[in-house]
Amino acid sequence: MGPGGSRRPRNSQHATPATASAASRNGINGGDQKSKDPEHEFDIIAYRTTFWRTFFFYALSFGTCGIFRLFLHWKPKLHIQFRAKLCSVESADLVLVVDSHDRHQICRVFHRNRDQGTEHTVVANQDGSLTELEDLRWFNYRKLQYTWIDGEWSTPSRAYSHVTPGALLKGGAPLKEDDVALRRTYFGWNVMPVKLSPFYELLYKEVLSPFYIFQIISVTVWYIDDYVYYAALIIVMSLYSVVMTLKQTRSQQRRLQSMVVEHDEVEVIRENGRVMKMDSSEIVPGDILVIPPQGCMMYCDCVLLNGTVIVNESMLTGESIPITKVSLEGLSALADDGHEKIFSMEKHGKNIIFNGTRVLQTKYYKGQHVKALAIRTSYSTTKGQLIRAIMYPKPPDFKFFNELMKFVYVLAGVASIGFIYTSFILLYRGSSVLRMILRACDLVTIVVPPALPAVMGIGIFYAQRRLRQKSIYCISPSTINTCGAIDVVCFDKTGTLTEDGLDFYALRVVENAKIGENIVQIAQNETCQNVVRAIATCHTLSKINHELHGDPLDVIMFEQTGYSLEEDDSESHESIESVQPILIRPPKDSTLPDCQIVKQFTFSSGLQRQSVIVTDEDSMKAYCKGSPEMIMSLCKPETVPDNFHDIVEEYSQHGYRLIAVAEKELVVGSEVQKTPRQSIECDLTLIGLVALENRLKPVTTEVIQKLNEANIRSVMVTGDNLLTALSVARECGIIQSKKTAYLIEHETGVVDKKNRTILTIREKGEHHTQEKQAKSIDLSKMSNKDCQFAISGSTFSVVTHEYPELLDQLVCVCNVFARMAPEQKQLLVEHLQEVGQTVAMCGDGANDCAALKAAHAGISLSEAEASIAAPFTSKVGGVGGVGEESGTGSVNYF
Ligand SMILES: Nc1ncnc2c1ncn2[C@@H]1O[C@H](COP(=O)(O)OP(=O)(O)OP(=O)(O)O)[C@@H](O)[C@H]1O
């Protein structure tokens, strides 16, 4: 099997596209490769078997009744070194793949020549086109197919990996049937088969582990030695454990299968633009899909070519609020650095509809198709990557297993001494050889606990059952053991520690750089109509089945305005995005005209803002809302009140969530569709500040208290303001009442002699800053003096780049990390792990996904039971305390 998929049955298990292409590295005979993907970093070493090595391998395996083979089964590296020798990729028939956790796997290399045989040797180019190779070599590893192209191992995700957004738009032409057939030979069918392993196969894998082999030997020794009852008891326990483990593995596979093996009818434009209905398994990268107006499930990763769609990505992110995806149309061709933009899955997430997500609604001109270009199928999609991460998880917890193995080695050392001593004594006393061996082995089996795997297996099984009863679903049972060793739990704030919903508190209008008083009732209040209009239009809400859907923050703000939202059906409106404009109507008795949202720039955590372009009868305006710091930086300084910063601090200190609103007048009829986002979101005029209340969840304080009692450190890592975060942290007990909170800060441009930005520490509440040279900051000492620390993302970034030597200390003593971008959340988790901490991360949103994945134990709070964002998914919607005795007997809380 391999890239010969055109003749392959539809549901065959075919290696599918991957995320990374393996880059060439000068290695042993040119056969040593290293993958670029940091997450799945691995070496690929080429080998060729020889006749004599194979002969000796079989001879020794038979000659030792399989013991030699069993030994090599545990040691794949020795196995391949014994059977084959290093060679170049061109002559290899085996490769040894070594992953970043030093796990080895031997894979067979397949080979096909263009002139031999009937099947094609096509591969994909980086721009998505196909090319035919003279000689095709590939191997399958963890559901992906690696093909030797241009001196490197590449996966099918190589297609569209180096292409401009403009080329993607232009390249979106219907595929011909011949082309489809050729593409299928390389990409395979768009399915993710999860095989239910037969019982005997699972049993074989389980029983061949060194522990079980040792157990078999132990039981045999005891049986011969007349410990019949004890031996029988251990057999019964082990059988029970094996059956439970197998049952668990099978139900795990079934669960995964139900999440993965989904397919349905889709509409694809093929051959001369005909819309054809077909099964989703027939989609190949390059196909153009038609997305129905009423929505559908997505079965591949695709780029939106026109219109706008609203999707629910909860399956991938755990976050169930609808997200708006926009088309590539109108995207500027040049990046910030002036170079041509290159399309990437990371940077253009807002233009990609991912496999496994549900399209709730599409928006475009009536009667026109919303089209999307399939770029990745089956296991190379984002969903495929997550599924692979579940199928081939990281080794549970290195520290835990290393220590467990150390414990076993110490016991084995003690046993060996006993073995030698007993053998010597018995020999000296003239005992028979059989009795001597029996006694000595008996000693070993008593010292090293043979029932250890059985006990752990049973423990995990019951722990998982208990979690399920509490609506916590676990897709990676081995992680349960890790939870017994958690040192730090990182919590996202909004939606995790605090309620998802917010309460509107007040609006303060800014006019002529003066800030007004609190306005609590904003609808129809004459004094704030301009800001109300901005709030009513600046969002990405949509109406699905007559209900407003979107970010809870947007919903709550919109509902205060008294405005209503309608999709504009009239033919006359010229929309900038060639999307049906959204009509915003003021309250009935208002004299203000209706207005249309003609362009939306979606919210992103990294940008901390969101904006829209709105037109009414005779004007065109851009409205922008976001975090006060961000909006202030985009506003003309003369429009920002002098005391604005102080006012923001005051609200933040009381835990309010703040959103600043700004506007900009645009010239009617100007070509704003071609204007990049950064040209719209600049030189703004500040017009208002909205304060929202964000209450703690009832269970939060109790959970933090339990963690404190268990000596597990709680850390808040949030995208919100530092002072707001600090106030919430104080309220829930992350910052303890008897401790003083210190803020670690910096001032941009203020540098020391070494040209490093000066870090300052100030006590929360003090307005003066007590400057200290970075060197004199000894955070670890200060933490002993009843201090706790908080830092914001920008200072964290300064420390990361300019004071890497402080980072270890910082992550160990800081309890609040605010204004953290998604990648900083991940960096924090990774750094905590680097300093030897076992980390759990608890989050609810798309901005927590990377951190959830990086943590030893990720806990996603999600409505979606089947979220694959983290090993644990809690449906209870809170950080409900879970006292759970895992297989290790520890009590865990999360
Ligand atoms: N829909 C929105 N429109 C405009 N600005 C927003 C919106 N949602 C949040 N913001 C602003 O962007 C900031 C960062 O948001 P982000 O979602 O990264 O974190 P968060 O929701 O504040 O906190 P957490 O990381 O704890 O969930 C927020 O503090 C807020 O000021």
Side-chain angles (χ1 to χ4, degrees), residues 253-270:
Q253 286 182 345
R254 251 189 236 116
R255 227 170 116 70
L256 209 57
Q257 209 177 37
S258 68
M259 281 157 69
V260 171
V261 186
E262 282 181 331
H263 56 103
D264 202 356
E265 197 172 66
V266 288
E267 287 185 339
V268 179
I269 305 182
R270 293 237 177 111

Side-chain angles (χ1 to χ4, degrees), residues 492-494 551 553-554 603 605 608-610 625-628 657-659 717-721 819-820 825 844 847-848:
D492 164 65
K493 179 180 76 68
T494 321
D551 193 323
L553 182 135
D554 289 346
F603 170 74
S605 290
Q608 293 176 26
R609 63 179 184 267
Q610 183 262 318
K625 76 175 196 311
S627 71
R657 201 162 151 76
L658 294 172
I659 297 290
V717 45
T718 173
D720 210 342
N721 177 290
R819 283 281 181 248
M820 296 283 274
K825 290 186 177 188
D844 72 322
N847 60 352
D848 305 315

Side-chain angles (χ1 to χ4, degrees), residues 45-64:
I45 308 161
Y47 283 90
R48 169 148 211 93
T49 47
T50 65
F51 173 78
W52 285 112
R53 282 170 184 250
T54 309
F55 174 79
F56 282 121
F57 168 76
Y58 283 112
L60 276 169
S61 299
F62 281 113
T64 56

Side-chain angles (χ1 to χ4, degrees), residues 755-774:
N755 214 18
R756 297 201 298 186
T757 311
I758 292 178
L759 294 181
T760 61
I761 288 190
R762 78 165 152 125
E763 193 178 323
K764 197 214 145 202
E766 279 180 18
H767 278 272
H768 65 277
T769 58
Q770 178 197 346
E771 293 204 359
K772 289 189 179 182
Q773 288 291 322

Side-chain angles (χ1 to χ4, degrees), residues 232 356 455:
V455 173

